[in-house]
Amino acid sequence: MRTSYKVILAGLGVFGLIQFIPRNHNNDPELEKHPLFTDYPTSHTVENIIRFACADCHSNHTEYPWYAKIQPVSMWIDHHVDEGKEHFNIDAWNTYSRKQQKHKIEECIEVIEEDEMPMKGYVKMHERANLTALQKKEITLWAKGLIDSMGRRN
Ligand code: HEC
């Protein structure tokens, strides 16, 4: 057998074997109302932007695409979801202190205004996460309102 065939076969073998690596299931049922949206009036438009552009990595419910079942893609997605949730989880909103909540919302404004979030690779695969200037404005205005309302309460 030619060396190139052996290399291809070995590659396929490894690909086959890594399929057995277990993947995460960030699969809590999606909440009708995410805790983040209960603190301050939130329009459906803003809720939907966050659901479609952020919630896959920043909530307890990920809508997995079909290719999430294939390794090493699963590991790569799991890593983003784990890390994303660690930084900010809209379903853990009620477990954050007021100070943390405020800080996280300030960070949200920053990452959206600087086009750091949603992550570029994610946007390529999810057209609806490709936010228009108007959507960015809507979400940052809402976030600023939320911060103001927290200031008033403290
Ligand atoms: C594909 C997964 C994914 C999506 C979608 C996503 N994020 Fe993230 N997010 C991450 C990861 C991973 C991190 C941590 C690493 C980093 O900062 O790049 C993060 C970090 C953050 C942070 C913390 C930043 C910091 O400076 O520590 C904020 C705030 C944030 N994301 C907000 C958002 C918002 C708002 C959206 C939607 C507009 C969003 N993210 C969409 C994966 C994602």
Side-chain angles (χ1 to χ4, degrees):
M1 199 166 22
R2 291 231 311 267
T3 321
S4 52
Y5 285 130
K6 283 187 195 158
V7 171
I8 290 169
L9 276 180
L12 284 175
V14 171
F15 180 75
L17 281 176
I18 62 172
Q19 301 313 314
F20 292 99
I21 300 173
R23 46 185 208 105
N24 281 1
H25 295 282
N26 187 39
N27 264 349
D28 279 10
E30 191 181 15
L31 298 173
E32 185 94 15
K33 196 88 183 159
H34 291 284
L36 167 63
F37 303 138
T38 54
D39 249 2
Y40 179 72
T42 312
S43 66
H44 278 299
T45 315
V46 168
E47 283 191 19
N48 279 335
I49 298 172
I50 296 176
R51 275 182 57 221
F52 295 149
C54 321
D56 273 346
C57 305
H58 293 286
S59 82
N60 290 337
H61 176 88
T62 304
E63 299 276 350
Y64 289 102
W66 63 267
Y67 48 81
K69 291 197 176 76
I70 303 167
Q71 291 290 14
V73 183
S74 322
M75 280 191 277
W76 188 71
I77 292 177
D78 289 348
H79 175 71
H80 284 152
V81 173
D82 286 347
E83 243 200 292
K85 279 173 70 177
E86 217 170 276
H87 279 80
F88 181 45
N89 180 351
I90 61 173
D91 293 331
W93 181 250
N94 295 332
T95 68
Y96 301 141
S97 68
R98 271 285 167 210
K99 200 171 154 210
Q100 282 174 319
Q101 289 178 337
K102 203 168 165 188
H103 180 65
K104 285 178 198 292
I105 294 298
E106 278 163 358
E107 277 188 342
C108 283
I109 297 173
E110 217 175 284
V111 294
I112 290 169
E113 284 181 345
E114 284 167 20
D115 275 332
E116 285 170 26
M117 291 283 153
M119 294 177 80
K120 299 267 180 315
Y122 179 85
V123 173
K124 273 203 196 104
M125 304 301 283
H126 299 79
E127 183 50 39
R128 63 189 187 181
N130 193 3
L131 303 183
T132 61
L134 180 64
Q135 285 176 313
K136 287 184 204 166
K137 195 85 212 159
E138 274 171 320
I139 190 171
T140 49
L141 274 178
W142 166 82
K144 285 171 188 168
L146 172 56
I147 290 176
D148 278 352
S149 84
M150 284 178 189
R152 279 199 297 278
R153 261 177 278 170
N154 283 340

